[in-house]
Each structure stands twice: as structure tokens, then as C-alpha cells.
Amino acid sequence: MSQRTCLSVILAAGEGTRMKSALPKVLHQIAGLPMVAHVVKAAEAAGASGVALVIGHGADEMRKTAAKFAPEAETFVQEKRLGTAHAVIAARAAISKGYDDVLVMFGDTPLIDADALTVARLRLAEGAAVVVIGFRPPNPTGYGRLIEKGGKLIAIREEKDCSEEERKIGFCNAGMMAVAGAHALKLLDAVDNKNAKGEYYLTDIVEIAGAQGLDVVATEASFESALGINNRAELAQAEAIWQQRRRHEAMLSGVTLIAPETVYFSHDTEIGADTIIEPNVWFGPGVMVASGAKIHAFSHIEGATIASSCDVGPFARLRPGADLRNKAKVGNFCEVKQAVIEEGAKVNHLTYIGDARVGAGANIGAGTITCNYDGYSKFFTDIGEGAFIGSNSSLVAPVTIGNGGYIASGSVITESVPDDALAFGRARQKTIPGKGKELRERFASAAAAKKKAAGTDH
Ligand code: UD1
Ligand code: CA
């Protein structure tokens, strides 16, 4: 089968009114990736080398998203929504290129897995002309029913057109199909719109192919993988299923999740084996964690790279460009953005490191702030290897702290500090013996005099 070429036609022209959104339905995200991009990924994983995206509502936004997430996809506009068969025909130019297999998929079915598609393609390779992907929803109401006879699929009957008997069938049309490329356009062009809704139904190709003596079969996919999203409650349901699958996969690949149901992955999160993730950790897009790292509870991480044996959190916030090298530590209530924390460096408490490099083995004291922004531009702070930054220091960028530089606590550092130098950026302490007692007595008698004058001395 590997030699067979495959085109995926993804229907995404619908408006999705039940989402109650300005955004086209299929651009709503699951794990940070638009639904339609999940569908494209599944098609590609099942071997599709061509992707035809049929768009209509929100065409401009759809094109932009396609360019970003599926640059290889060709877009086709279905001007009027005249039905699913009509929508597939909008991609006529792609279908007529002569692919062996044509997979028809829906942009609002984001959990479809490559296996279900691969099984359908296998049936084409065995000689079927049309393979319909079926499923058994807990409640079949509203779905087209699959009418089978002797192992062949003879018809798909939409709910409205079903007899009392047919309505009892639990095996339903998930909507997706695999069609032999050699027959696809001929079958689609034979579909008419003589039905209650006046639409061109893709499902009609089942009977048309049967009448021509072609082989038509159904395969079965899981309910979850065929879940269509129509509103935000279903979107959340799909997100939950996606997260559950991903957590399972992560654990089987050697990642410890102490409370898996509280950890949220992004579509592209990569985590190495023997990394331990405590409860309530959120991964945004673009995170790579190597092996043997520890991510403590309540950390929020996006666009960050975390090398082996790093220690992050609890309550750490790693923003895009945070790059933690081996054994680096970023502790509680620390924020790191666009900064390299080199091997073994420690940023442990209540600190902001932005637009910076923290050299290997450096120690950043509690409450240190890199002052990287003047309201207009961002500036860089370079902290050398083995430097020690005393607590509650402000490093006003651009500024360099040399290797082994030592900064006194509470400093405001505005000038660069050479290697191994000590820098104070604060007033020296002054101590006056006995002055504390004297002040206390003076303040106490002043307060007593005031109360007496007001007559409230009781
Ligand atoms: C379709 C199936 C039904 C199946 C169900 C599964 C048909 C006729 N019926 O019904 O058997 O059980 O899916 O969810 O196929 N679209 C377009 N252009 C159009 C019409 C539809 O792009 O002109 C897109 C929609 O945006 C949607 C998909 O095709 O993503 C399915 O269309 P929809 O109208 O939702 O079909 P259903 O009535 O759900
Ligand atoms: Ca639908």
C-alpha cells in the first residue's frame, strides 16, 4: 500500500453557528492547535501527500491558518454550501491529478486518528471503491445509519429518511470516507440533490457505486476518534480526550506524571524519559524538556527549552526563549524570558530574568530583577560564570557582570562590573548608638500628649 498515492480532501466550509464565535469553527483550538490542523496531521500520518482544504466561511482567516499550520495544503473555495458531495467537488482540480486514494475528512473532527484512516486505505488497496468510516455513538440520533448486507455496505440513510427499523441501527456514518481515486469524480458527479434538504449528499455515492457493481464496505472507528465538534462544550470534551491520550502516551514513554489529570500539554510538547512532573503544570506551545528534569507543581511553561536534570518551580513561569541548560535551577515565583540559564546556574527565588544570559554556576539571589525595558526598547544583561548576585538587586540593562563578579545585596547596578570585582550599588549603612531608644521615648510621649488634649484618655 505504501506505493499508493493519497489525497486528503478536508471539508471546512461550514460556519459553525453553534460555536457563537467570530472565528470559523475549525480554527478553534485543541491543545493550542486549530482543529483543522489536527485533521491535516492525521491525514499526513496516514500517508496523504496531498491536502485539499475546502473553505467558505472566513476564507481569508482559513488561508492564513493553512499557510501557518499546513503550508503544503491547497485551498479551494466552495462558494455556496450545497452539501457534502458538492463540497468535495470544489476540490476537483486536486482530485483530477490522479491520486490512487482520496480520503474525505471533516475539519470539525479533530480527534480522528491515523489508524482509522490507514485501515480504510487498506480496504481500498484490497479492491474496494468506497470505504465508509463508521462508528457506534452512545446516542445515534442525528447520524446517518449504515445499512449493510452480506458484509457490504448498501446505503447510508440520513436520520430523516430512515424507517422505524433502520433508526434502530447503532452503526453510524462518522462522515469520513476513503474513495478510490479512479472512481471518485465519476461517483461524485452522479450525485443529485433530489432529497428533503435539497443538498448534494456525499453519502449517496454508496448506492451509486453499488449500482455500478463496485465494492463498497464500512470500517469501524472508535466513538472518540469520530467525535464532531459543534459547540464549545464539545470542544472542551475533545480537549479532555486529547489531553488524556497525550498524558497516557507521555507516561508510557517514561515520563512520571504524579497527577496526570492536572497536567496540560500542548500539541507539540516534547518531554524526555525520567522527567518527573508534579501536579498542576501547564505547557504552552514550543516546549522541549530533556530527560531527568523535575518540573514542580504549578509551573507555567511556554516556548522554553529545558535540558537534562534541570529543576523548575514550584510556581515558576518560563516564557518564550527561556533556555535552561543542564542542571540549571529556576525556583519558586521566578519568571524567565528570552534568557539562557547556563549549566548549574541557580535562579531560585522571586526573580525576573529577561533578555539575559546567566553564566554557568552563577547564583542569583532572591528578588533580583534584570531591568530590561525603558518603556521603548529591550536591553541585554550578561552575567558571567560563577557570578554571585546578592538578594534584592536591580541590574539595569545594558550591563555586564564579569565572571566571578560579586554584587552586594540591594544594589542597583548601572555600570558593568569586571571579572571577580565586588560592586556595591547602594548607600552605606550608618549606625547611631542609643538613638533607637531615644526616638521610641520621644514618640511615646508625643502620642500620650495628643490623646490627653483630645480628652479620650481612657
Ligand atoms: C454528515 C453525514 C452523516 C454523518 C454525519 C457525521 C452527509 C450527507 N451526512 O451529516 O451521514 O452521520 O456527517 O457527523 O454527509 N460541509 C461543507 N460544505 C457543505 C456542507 C458541509 O464544507 O456544503 C462541511 C461542514 O462544514 C462539515 C462537514 O462538511 O464540516 C459535514 O457537514 P454537515 O452539514 O455537518 O453534515 P451532517 O449533517 O453532520
Ligand atoms: Ca455535522
Side-chain angles (χ1 to χ4, degrees), residues 194-245:
K194 295 188 188 101
N195 52 50
K197 274 174 114 183
E199 283 191 7
Y200 294 86
Y201 285 160
L202 173 64
T203 46
D204 284 357
I205 70 169
V206 168
E207 280 168 279
I208 294 166
Q212 294 180 10
L214 296 169
D215 221 7
V216 183
V217 296
T219 58
E220 187 171 339
S222 68
F223 167 66
E224 294 184 344
S225 70
L227 186 69
I229 308 305
N230 294 305
N231 56 44
R232 294 187 202 235
E234 287 166 352
L235 183 70
Q237 192 187 354
E239 176 82 40
I241 295 167
W242 189 95
Q243 292 293 343
Q244 210 173 349
R245 281 184 184 174

Side-chain angles (χ1 to χ4, degrees), residues 138 172 252 264 285 329 340 371:
C172 295
L252 294 190
Y264 288 83
K329 284 182 88 168
V340 180
C371 308

Side-chain angles (χ1 to χ4, degrees), residues 13 46 50 58 65 67 103 128 138 144 161 167 177 222 254 261 290 301 310 390 401 413 415 435 442 455:
T65 303
L103 284 173
D161 307 319
R167 214 161 279 153
M177 290 189 192
S222 68
E261 65 285 0
I301 302 170
C310 282
I401 313 297
I413 297 295
E415 285 164 25
K435 188 74 179 177
R442 200 205 308 155

